Amino acid sequence: MTTAEIRKDMPTRPAAREADEGARLGLRLTLPAQLLVLFISVFPLLMQLYISLTDWSPLSGLGWPHAHEMWNGFANYVDVAGDGRLWSALGRTALVMAVCVPVEFLLGLALATLFADSFPGKRVFYSILIMPMMVVPAVAGYMFYMLFQSGGPVNDILSSLLGMPVTVAWLSDPMLAMLAVMVADIWQWTPLMFLILLAGLVGVPEDQMKAATLLGASPWQKFRTIVLPRMKTIIIIALAIRVIECFKIFDTLFIMTGGGPGVATETISVYIYKITTQDLIWGYVAAIALVILLVLSVACVWAMKRMARKGQPA
């Protein structure tokens, strides 16, 4: 190595050494927090896996550390595969997801497009629009429970519009009860979709939109060629969040219908709640939860990768 090369390399060595020392210091400072987060995340999953391989329940007379005395191998997972009520609950959950998520996305996108421009009273309407998202789900469930009563406001409005008495038993009919639950979910969570998509729209470069307008591009062409590619990641995140949340819908639905009439609105969360609190077969519940976690995680990752691949330019 020549003298010039040595002199050139000398200033970089202290900088590299300082960077390494900074990285080690950062690791030492954050290691306790990282270990705590790892413990909080991993320990419940390991315990759930352990319980899912047993017949343990709170009524067994044993503490959960001794659940291995009731070991049954993979019997609970075999029962999951043959549980018709479970698969029916998953089907109803998928129905809620298939209806609510697209409707919330389209409404949220339309509202985000509207609020991307300035207009009188925008702040007031913005505050009103996001209010449903701030309502506690249990309170929202009670609100819609009262709205859809036979003598409630929904039937009163329909009676006024049709000019004849309407006394539809919304929450007593299997199809109408599910429709009422979907309306409640759309009302409460469209604002979340709106906020996420509005954040994406605000990030679209305004100069590109103006240039496209000057070139004669239609609104659809501007959306397809400029807005959609820029918002691809935001859209995927918004859809993934709502798909996962649809599988966790519980508060609003349980207060409105309790999963009824019969099991007509029994989603997977309601079904798990019932067999946890009524049947107390916790080993089986743990197996169900792990299967759903695995399937939902794989499905979301696959869908997000597929959507990202389709959004890439050819």
Side-chain angles (χ1 to χ4, degrees):
M1 182 180 290
T2 63
T3 304
E5 291 175 340
I6 294 174
R7 290 178 179 176
K8 182 179 180 181
D9 191 48
M10 285 180 62
T12 63
R13 288 180 178 176
R17 190 178 302 113
E18 289 178 3
D20 293 339
E21 291 178 356
R24 287 194 293 270
L25 177 60
L27 178 62
R28 288 194 294 269
L29 292 175
T30 61
L31 184 60
Q34 291 179 11
L35 292 176
L36 177 61
V37 172
L38 182 64
F39 175 78
I40 293 174
S41 303
V42 173
F43 176 73
L45 285 175
L46 293 178
M47 188 176 69
Q48 187 173 2
L49 177 61
Y50 167 60
I51 296 298
S52 71
L53 299 173
T54 69
D55 287 324
W56 181 82
S57 77
L59 301 180
S60 62
L62 297 173
W64 68 265
H66 301 283
H68 60 86
E69 298 180 17
M70 306 180 69
W71 192 266
N72 67 3
F74 293 94
N76 287 327
Y77 293 92
V78 174
D79 293 340
V80 167
D83 190 344
R85 185 176 170 187
L86 168 65
W87 292 107
S88 297
L90 280 172
R92 285 185 286 271
T93 306
L95 175 63
V96 173
M97 178 197 69
V99 173
C100 292
V101 174
V103 173
E104 290 166 4
F105 172 75
L106 293 175
L107 289 176
L109 182 61
L111 291 170
T113 304
L114 176 63
F115 276 77
D117 298 326
S118 298
F119 57 87
K122 177 179 177 179
R123 293 185 178 181
V124 176
F125 288 110
Y126 182 85
S127 301
I128 295 173
L129 188 60
I130 65 175
M131 283 180 64
M133 189 178 63
M134 302 177 186
V135 177
V136 177
V139 176
Y142 183 73
M143 288 168 51
F144 279 88
Y145 172 78
M146 299 302 295
L147 286 171
F148 283 100
Q149 290 296 305
S150 297
V154 173
N155 282 340
D156 290 342
I157 293 173
L158 291 175
S159 298
S160 300
L161 293 175
L162 298 176
M164 56 182 295
V166 176
T167 55
V168 178
W170 293 91
L171 302 180
S172 300
D173 182 275
M175 294 298 295
L176 296 180
M178 183 61 78
L179 177 62
V181 169
M182 292 178 182
V183 170
D185 188 80
I186 292 170
W187 173 84
Q188 184 160 35
W189 296 116
T190 295
L192 175 63
M193 192 74 77
F194 157 71
L195 285 178
I196 297 175
L197 296 177
L198 180 61
L201 277 176
V202 171
V204 176
E206 189 176 352
D207 55 344
Q208 294 184 13
M209 298 294 288
K210 291 181 178 179
T213 302
L214 292 174
L215 292 173
S218 65
W220 169 247
Q221 289 175 326
K222 289 188 289 184
F223 176 79
R224 184 173 57 85
T225 59
I226 300 176
V227 176
L228 192 58
R230 294 276 182 175
M231 291 184 60
K232 179 184 64 178
T233 304
I234 297 293
I235 291 174
I236 293 173
I237 292 173
L239 293 176
I241 289 174
R242 284 305 304 141
V243 166
I244 294 172
E245 289 298 319
C246 279
F247 273 81
K248 298 192 296 182
I249 182 174
F250 176 80
D251 311 58
T252 305
L253 186 151
F254 191 77
I255 291 178
M256 288 180 66
T257 66
V263 293
T265 58
E266 186 180 76
T267 60
I268 188 61
S269 296
V270 176
Y271 174 64
I272 290 176
Y273 169 79
K274 287 181 178 180
I275 63 174
T276 302
T277 58
Q278 297 174 7
D279 301 335
L280 296 174
I281 45 178
W282 285 19
Y284 182 57
V285 171
I288 293 175
L290 283 175
V291 170
I292 293 174
L293 174 64
L294 178 62
V295 172
L296 194 59
S297 300
V298 171
C300 284
V301 170
W302 175 82
M304 292 174 70
K305 286 185 176 180
R306 186 176 179 84
M307 292 178 66
R309 196 181 304 118
K310 284 185 176 182
Q312 293 176 355

